Amino acid sequence: MSISQASLTLDEAPYRRPSEFRRGVAASTPVLLGIIPYALVLGAQAAQKGLSVVEVPLMTGMNFAGGSEFAAIQLWTSPPHILLIAAITLLVNSRHFLMGAALAPFLSHLPRRKVFPALFVMCDESWALGLADARQRAAAGLNPAFSLPYYAGAALPFYLAWVVFTTAGAALGPVLGNVEDYGFAMAFPAVFLVLMRGMWTGFAAARPWLVSLVVAALTYLIVPGAWYVAAGALSGLVSAWLFSGDEA
């Protein structure tokens, strides 16, 4: 059954919502396997900085954003510089403003009591899957375009796996030693390359990606700290606006 057919079945028969949830789980599983290695890396690094097996899941469960957690762990000292870590966390997570804005038009039919939990468990992977599915449903003329059960099936496994395997990394880190020696860190860029490939629609639409990449890389090399995240996001947004005139 195609995505459009499955979505149409959901719209016509609300009692079959579990099938949409399972479709979300199936769509997320290949990418989900890729986040496990760097969840273990984060947990092990957190344990090396002195965080306990209880503190690690509190961190990863309350601040569900891997990039900012890696940055926070790199900055962690005893005692920790709370304001610095909070500022860097906000800076690294600033991309979520753009991600939420892209998803917002598809969420307008949902009450806030459903939107806020959905956004809380949003990560790069579930956002990409949910947005791509909503666009496919919209192109097929399905209403509503955004399938909340599908999104839940895609997002919740990421959240649970992230908390569980960062905790496992914290518990196993002292036994395994430096887990980065196993090449687990390569999983992080590999997952994002897969997500980018899934969203690829042609070079013209990808030009803002290239601009964002170049600006972020140059900022990373020149400016200390995590400013490359904001620079990449802002340059990508501006270039997307500028290039949009070429497609009109």
Side-chain angles (χ1 to χ4, degrees), residues 46 59 64 95 110 151 165 205:
M59 177 186 71
F64 181 46
R95 70 189 188 282
L110 294 173
Y151 175 83
F165 284 100

Side-chain angles (χ1 to χ4, degrees), residues 89-105:
T89 298
L90 176 62
L91 179 61
V92 175
N93 289 344
S94 62
R95 70 189 188 282
H96 285 246
F97 290 115
L98 302 179
M99 293 161 58
L103 204 56

Side-chain angles (χ1 to χ4, degrees), residues 108-166:
S108 58
H109 67 287
L110 294 173
R112 291 184 179 181
R113 60 184 174 83
K114 293 184 178 181
V115 170
F116 289 153
L119 293 178
F120 175 77
V121 295
M122 182 184 73
C123 61
D124 299 282
E125 295 84 357
S126 60
W127 170 81
L129 290 170
L131 183 62
D133 183 69
R135 287 174 172 171
Q136 289 184 30
R137 287 171 57 92
L142 300 178
N143 187 33
F146 184 81
S147 171
L148 186 59
Y150 169 87
Y151 175 83
L156 290 177
F158 282 115
Y159 181 81
L160 295 175
W162 186 250
V163 174
V164 168
F165 284 100
T166 51

Side-chain angles (χ1 to χ4, degrees), residues 207 241-248:
R207 287 178 296 178
W241 178 73
L242 293 174
F243 288 135
S244 63
D246 297 342
E247 300 174 3

Side-chain angles (χ1 to χ4, degrees), residues 41-236:
V41 170
L42 176 63
Q45 290 181 349
Q48 291 170 3
K49 287 299 183 83
L51 273 71
S52 70
V53 178
V54 175
E55 292 168 332
V56 169
L58 285 175
M59 177 186 71
T60 57
M62 297 176 68
N63 174 45
F64 181 46
S68 65
E69 290 163 1
F70 273 104
I73 290 302
Q74 294 300 319
L75 296 170
W76 195 268
T77 56
S78 183
H81 300 286
I82 301 298
L83 291 179
L84 175 61
I85 292 175
I88 293 298
T89 298
L90 176 62
L91 179 61
V92 175
N93 289 344
S94 62
R95 70 189 188 282
H96 285 246
F97 290 115
L98 302 179
M99 293 161 58
L103 204 56
F106 298 104
L107 303 177
S108 58
H109 67 287
L110 294 173
R112 291 184 179 181
R113 60 184 174 83
K114 293 184 178 181
V115 170
F116 289 153
L119 293 178
F120 175 77
V121 295
M122 182 184 73
C123 61
D124 299 282
E125 295 84 357
S126 60
W127 170 81
L129 290 170
L131 183 62
D133 183 69
R135 287 174 172 171
Q136 289 184 30
R137 287 171 57 92
L142 300 178
N143 187 33
F146 184 81
S147 171
L148 186 59
Y150 169 87
Y151 175 83
L156 290 177
F158 282 115
Y159 181 81
L160 295 175
W162 186 250
V163 174
V164 168
F165 284 100
T166 51
T167 305
L172 298 176
V175 178
L176 298 175
N178 186 4
V179 292
E180 293 187 25
D181 292 341
Y182 298 97
F184 285 175
M186 279 300 297
F188 195 79
V191 166
F192 280 91
L193 287 173
V194 170
L195 293 177
M196 290 175 63
R197 177 63 185 89
M199 300 180 70
W200 179 268
T201 59
F203 178 76
R207 287 178 296 178
W209 300 1
L210 179 61
V211 173
S212 180
L213 171 64
V214 172
V215 172
L218 291 176
T219 305
Y220 176 81
L221 294 173
I222 298 172
V223 182
W227 291 103
Y228 62 93
V229 177
L234 182 61
S235 62

